[in-house]
Amino acid sequence: ARAPSRPLTRTTPSRFPSPGALRLLQEKSQLISGTRRRRIMSRLARLVLVVVPAAVAHVLDALSFSAPFEDVSAGGDRVVGRSWRASGSAAVHANFVRLTPDRQSKRGALWATAAAGVDEVSATLKFRISGQGKKYYGDGLALWLTDARAHRAGDFHGSAETFRGVGVVFDTFKNAETLSLHKDVAVVVNDGTRDAEALLADASGCAGDVRYHEARADFSVASASRARVVVGRRADGDALEAVVSLDARNVGAFVECARVALPAA
């Protein structure tokens, strides 16, 4: 994942939740035989993240990253920064972060341990989901804005379903059992009490072609997608909302995907 050419900004609302941590998760792939489903992971080849408060246009450096990644941990592993932790199959390279390889049954996460410390945020994420599979491929990618200080792994697109915060899910696999609820991009909101079925039933979202097939003639290392998430107060009052916009093919034009109300804590 290469660092963003544009910033991913995020602030954690003081009421929903506070404090927050920013998570980037590649959901695990699964290989299930018989009447269940077969999945092969797609590759997240590029990831760009910059965090900036929405009301005050300055970058939150602790929650932003960009290549080259030259820092090394005490254990000798390359790291994105002091406020970020990679886990699972995630690997930090000099010029990109790869959350999962193009292999079955892989799951990786990149998690910010520092809270944003602001009430509103605008975040732009540049990423690429790609792989060699023509029919079966990975579950997808999710961006989480939560109050958790550590990664809580689970089966809801890499996360425990009982999170507190907002998730933006880029779902690249259409599950037969939830086909009627499928959205390519879904925005889910949880106060820690709702399960995955309830989250999907109420999710807002949109269609978005964010997966690249690496065998296509028009695929290149420049292939990418962008998403922008703005958490802030509505213009007509103090109520909080999250607005997600998508530039699926990185052509320089964002289209609003979803606008969801956020409950007070």
Side-chain angles (χ1 to χ4, degrees), residues 223-241:
S223 299
S225 304
R226 293 189 303 156
R228 183 170 61 207
V229 184
V230 179
V231 175
R233 305 190 189 285
R234 292 168 54 104
D236 59 356
D238 291 334
L240 290 169
E241 67 176 1

Side-chain angles (χ1 to χ4, degrees), residues 17-191:
S18 178
L22 180 61
R23 298 188 288 167
L24 303 176
L25 297 177
Q26 173 76 47
E27 183 187 1
K28 70 177 181 179
S29 61
Q30 299 174 349
L31 181 60
I32 304 176
S33 60
T35 60
R36 300 170 72 184
R37 60 187 181 272
R38 172 189 175 98
R39 300 181 181 178
I40 300 177
M41 281 311 298
S42 57
R43 181 184 307 160
L44 177 70
R46 291 188 174 188
L47 192 63
V48 168
L49 178 62
V50 180
V51 178
V52 178
V56 181
H58 66 270
V59 175
L60 299 177
D61 290 328
L63 296 179
S64 305
F65 61 78
S66 63
F69 303 116
E70 299 175 344
D71 292 343
V72 179
S73 69
D77 297 321
R78 195 182 297 271
V79 296
V80 164
R82 295 181 180 180
S83 298
W84 290 88
R85 299 290 182 270
S87 63
S89 299
V92 181
H93 299 269
N95 295 310
F96 62 93
V97 177
R98 177 170 287 128
L99 294 184
T100 69
D102 193 8
R103 299 291 184 271
Q104 298 172 3
S105 303
K106 300 297 181 181
R107 175 190 296 180
L110 189 61
W111 191 280
T113 59
V118 291
D119 292 337
E120 298 177 289
V121 67
S122 171
T124 302
L125 172 66
K126 184 178 180 181
F127 62 96
R128 187 174 78 210
I129 301 174
S130 65
Q132 296 288 336
K134 295 181 179 180
K135 183 176 181 181
Y136 298 113
Y137 37 86
D139 291 345
L141 169 74
L143 169 66
W144 303 97
L145 287 73
T146 81
D147 65 350
R149 294 182 179 275
H151 174 214
R152 295 177 58 223
D155 292 330
F156 187 63
H157 291 275
S159 170
E161 61 188 42
T162 54
F163 65 93
R164 293 185 66 247
V166 182
V168 182
V169 176
F170 305 92
D171 191 346
T172 56
F173 191 93
K174 295 182 178 180
N175 300 305
E177 62 271 30
T178 57
L179 187 60
S180 63
L181 302 176
H182 177 85
K183 296 178 178 64
D184 294 337
V185 183
V187 182
V188 292
V189 180
N190 202 347
D191 60 2

